[in-house]
Amino acid sequence: GAGVSQTPSNKVTEKGKYVELRCDPISGHTALYWYRQSLGQGPEFLIYFQGTGAADDSGLPNDRFFAVRPEGSVSTLKIQRTERGDSAVYLCASSLIRTSPYNEQFFGPGTRLTVL
Amino acid sequence: AQSVTQLGSHVSVSEGALVLLRCNYSSSVPPYLFWYVQYPNQGLQLLLKYTSAATLVKGINGFEAEFKKSETSFHLTKPSAHMSDAAEYFCAVSDLRAGSARQLTFGSGTQLTVLP
């Protein structure tokens, strides 16, 4: 079956602009995660959804970052007033349920965001 | 708080030689540990996971890892490197605190180069 997909694969924007990054999880996966991977670093947790609600947004760096998942499937990560420091690869992952750590997180290919 | 340290950001081995990628963790609770591989322009793929069932874990593509509590380590090995193993490898620990999102905390990664 189809894996996690993310669009766009690349996004170049100017400082101060607004961007939206989309994630389509694996069908039937109720848990959805966003991570950010800066150059030379491992992915860092941003936010977690169980169903439609953001159950844990403790990783969001500031209030310019926001994410939604209105129907419990597709999620959109929104970044307002982008800054050069936001440049990174944004990864989305989904898993069947959250409660068991046995449930593997399946990762999408990521969206590479470049803020000029 | 949990953390993962990967010693050596770059490792080079000859084709057919032993691969050893080092990972040490810090966790206040018994950890669940993972190794992921990332090929260029692709998403993270799970190689193997430790979930307390057995200390020696076998994964895909001939990789295995051994959990050593006394050394707080989870090193990744493969007896004989293949050219196709060239990629970036990430060690990760799952947050098992009650009520947590089970998000992964990643190390900074090790880039494996396989020389002909």
Side-chain angles (χ1 to χ4, degrees):
Chain A
V4 178
S5 62
Q6 293 185 245
T7 54
S9 56
N10 281 282
K11 177 70 176 178
V12 180
T13 190
E14 294 179 343
K15 181 176 178 293
K17 298 291 189 182
Y18 168 83
V19 296
E20 290 188 351
L21 311 179
R22 176 187 169 107
C23 171
D24 283 83
I26 293 173
S27 178
H29 281 194
T30 57
L32 185 146
Y33 301 79
W34 283 98
Y35 294 83
R36 179 169 71 174
Q37 186 175 14
S38 300
L39 192 63
Q41 300 297 318
E44 294 179 310
F45 169 74
L46 294 177
I47 187 170
Y48 158 74
F49 287 88
Q50 180 61 35
T52 60
D56 185 343
D57 63 358
S58 61
L60 294 178
N62 52 60
D63 61 6
R64 295 186 297 105
F65 288 75
F66 188 71
V68 295
R69 194 185 185 198
E71 298 179 357
S73 178
V74 171
S75 176
T76 304
L77 179 65
K78 308 180 180 191
I79 310 174
Q80 299 176 321
R81 305 183 304 281
T82 52
E83 300 178 356
R84 292 192 179 87
D86 298 334
S87 297
V89 176
Y90 290 81
L91 298 171
C92 176
S94 69
S95 69
L96 197 53
I97 57 174
R98 184 268 296 177
T99 53
S100 169
Y102 295 94
N103 285 296
E104 176 183 350
Q105 291 184 27
F106 293 84
F107 283 81
T111 294
R112 182 176 299 278
L113 175 66
T114 303
V115 182
L116 300 177
Chain B
Q2 298 174 303
S3 65
V4 172
T5 302
Q6 291 184 241
L7 297 176
S9 58
H10 291 82
V11 170
S12 293
V13 300
S14 298
E15 190 174 19
L18 171 71
V19 176
L20 171 60
L21 304 182
R22 299 179 186 275
C23 172
N24 288 87
Y25 69 91
S26 172
S27 176
S28 58
V29 297
Y32 285 176
L33 295 158
F34 306 80
W35 275 99
Y36 279 84
V37 60
Q38 187 175 37
Y39 297 101
N41 300 316
Q42 295 187 27
L44 292 159
Q45 179 183 5
L46 182 68
L47 275 178
L48 48 79
K49 60 187 177 189
Y50 166 74
T51 57
S52 77
T55 56
L56 182 62
V57 181
K58 294 188 183 297
I60 62 172
N61 301 337
F63 284 93
E64 62 182 36
E66 185 172 10
F67 172 70
K68 292 187 176 180
K69 183 178 179 180
S70 61
E71 299 178 7
T72 61
S73 69
F74 190 57
H75 301 331
L76 182 71
T77 60
K78 181 174 180 177
S80 177
H82 192 274
M83 297 297 288
S84 61
D85 294 327
E88 187 147 28
Y89 292 80
F90 292 94
C91 182
V93 61
S94 182
D95 186 341
L96 298 182
R97 291 171 297 167
S100 82
R102 302 289 191 260
Q103 70 267 30
L104 298 170
T105 298
F106 287 86
S108 56
T110 298
Q111 181 67 45
L112 176 66
T113 300
V114 181
L115 305 171

